[in-house]
Amino acid sequence: MPTVLIKLLSVALFLLAWPLLAAPPLRADMPVLKLAMYHSPPYYFTEDVAEPHGLSLDLLRPAARQLGLRIEVVVCPFPRCLKMAETGEVDIVAGLLQSPQREKFLHFIQPAMMNFVSSFVFYSRHNQRREIHKVGDLQGSTVTVMRDAVYFTEFDQATNFEKIAVNTEAISLDMVHKGRADYAITVEQTAEGSFSAAGLAITDLKRQPYHVNQNIRGYLAFSRQSPNFQLAPKLEQLLEQQYRAGMFHLLWQKYHLPAIRAQVQRYEKEPSAATPAE
């Protein structure tokens, strides 16, 4: 292995390990921080695995250890995860897009845990005659959506077609494949994993011409009803330190989520917002 590569790997491993160097060892009696996780490969894995794993755990564990906390994963479908965060049954849910409605019961921890450009895309059966070139072309059709999910404004606000809410993207695609809905909307970056979870090949459905590119920023969000909400400012401060030390960027590379450089630079110039707004 070239010397330069060895040095780069050594630096990377040090950056990933540095928050743990002064952290207390894990103990069964440590206070618990409950993380709601749903299956959404290639970022979160909760189904058919020995134990849940993914980007949110990789980011949270070092900071939680520094706070003397251990993380307990609560596996749930996406809508249930969101509902438990709303009622304070869990402390944190990961990978959420920010919206005014969600901000009423969630504090979105800065910086974003994932930051990438992807497309919202639509899939149909191959025998679907109507092609979609704009949101207006969906008029009178049925579209499967993730329950309580946020997509893009024009689609979210449209009322000229029926939205069928389901718990996962895999169910959404399966319903279209079985002819129970006309179209499914997905995030292109996660579509392959959703097809796999549905037992489908990506060629089993037709990708429609219409797509919307968007900078997608997914956040760790802390429940305002959580009994541990007072920990949010300190957790945010530690995560920001990890971000500035380069840990987020290394993990984004691990999960094939390269940083959007212009936005990273803009964030680095801004003061952090470490205190949740009440």
Side-chain angles (χ1 to χ4, degrees):
M1 184 180 291
T3 303
V4 173
L5 182 56
I6 292 174
K7 289 181 177 179
L8 288 173
L9 287 173
S10 297
V11 170
L13 288 171
F14 173 78
L15 286 171
L16 287 171
W18 75 268
L20 298 177
L21 297 179
L26 284 174
R27 303 187 316 275
D29 62 343
M30 292 176 78
V32 169
L33 202 61
K34 291 184 179 181
L35 169 66
M37 276 186 70
Y38 51 94
H39 189 64
S40 184
Y43 309 121
Y44 324 114
F45 299 84
T46 62
E47 298 176 5
D48 301 319
V49 292
E51 61 181 35
H53 60 276
L55 176 60
S56 53
L57 272 174
D58 287 350
L59 285 171
L60 273 175
R61 275 181 171 145
R65 285 282 299 277
Q66 280 195 292
L67 290 172
L69 303 168
R70 63 183 177 88
I71 295 176
E72 176 185 308
V73 174
V74 178
V75 176
C76 42
F78 174 78
R80 178 64 181 154
C81 288
L82 202 59
K83 186 64 177 177
M84 287 195 291
E86 184 175 2
T87 59
E89 294 175 69
V90 296
D91 301 297
I92 296 173
V93 62
L96 294 184
L97 300 185
Q98 199 166 3
S99 73
Q101 180 61 33
R102 290 175 176 176
E103 286 177 337
K104 294 176 182 178
F105 61 92
L106 294 169
H107 168 64
F108 287 81
I109 294 175
Q110 300 290 342
M113 63 168 282
M114 56 203 316
N115 182 3
F116 62 96
V117 170
S118 186
S119 294
F120 290 111
V121 296
F122 295 84
Y123 287 94
S124 69
R125 299 178 76 184
H126 286 281
N127 62 1
Q128 174 61 252
R129 293 183 178 181
R130 186 196 306 182
E131 286 198 341
I132 304 304
H133 296 273
K134 59 183 184 297
V135 169
D137 292 339
L138 294 168
Q139 182 168 351
S141 65
T142 54
V143 183
T144 52
V145 299
M146 280 267 284
R147 193 182 312 276
D148 299 324
V150 174
Y151 294 99
F152 58 96
T153 303
E154 185 181 4
F155 178 84
D156 291 338
Q157 294 180 352
T159 58
N160 61 342
F161 57 89
E162 182 185 357
K163 298 172 186 175
I164 303 174
V166 298
N167 285 347
T168 68
E169 276 193 354
I171 295 174
S172 178
L173 294 166
D174 183 62
M175 286 185 64
V176 172
H177 184 252
K178 291 177 177 176
R180 296 175 182 171
D182 298 317
Y183 306 95
I185 183 172
T186 73
V187 177
E188 188 171 33
Q189 194 87 358
T190 60
E192 186 175 349
S194 298
F195 270 92
S196 178
L200 299 172
I202 203 161
T203 53
D204 286 338
L205 293 177
K206 177 183 177 181
R207 187 182 188 276
Q208 289 292 315
Y210 183 61
H211 64 278
V212 176
N213 284 329
Q214 187 163 307
N215 173 210
I216 296 176
R217 301 184 113 184
Y219 291 87
L220 291 165
F222 212 115
S223 169
R224 296 184 185 276
Q225 298 302 316
S226 161
N228 296 312
F229 186 57
Q230 75 279 2
L231 296 173
K234 184 61 176 176
L235 180 66
E236 188 164 45
Q237 181 182 10
L238 290 172
L239 287 169
E240 185 192 358
Q241 290 173 7
Q242 291 175 193
Y243 174 90
R244 295 183 186 277
M247 289 179 64
F248 277 43
H249 299 80
L250 289 171
L251 287 170
W252 287 345
Q253 290 175 30
K254 173 183 174 182
Y255 287 91
H256 306 291
L257 284 170
I260 299 173
R261 196 64 217 162
Q263 295 199 352
V264 169
Q265 289 173 343
R266 181 161 63 250
Y267 172 78
E268 289 172 345
K269 292 176 182 178
E270 295 172 357
S272 64
T275 305
E278 295 293 349

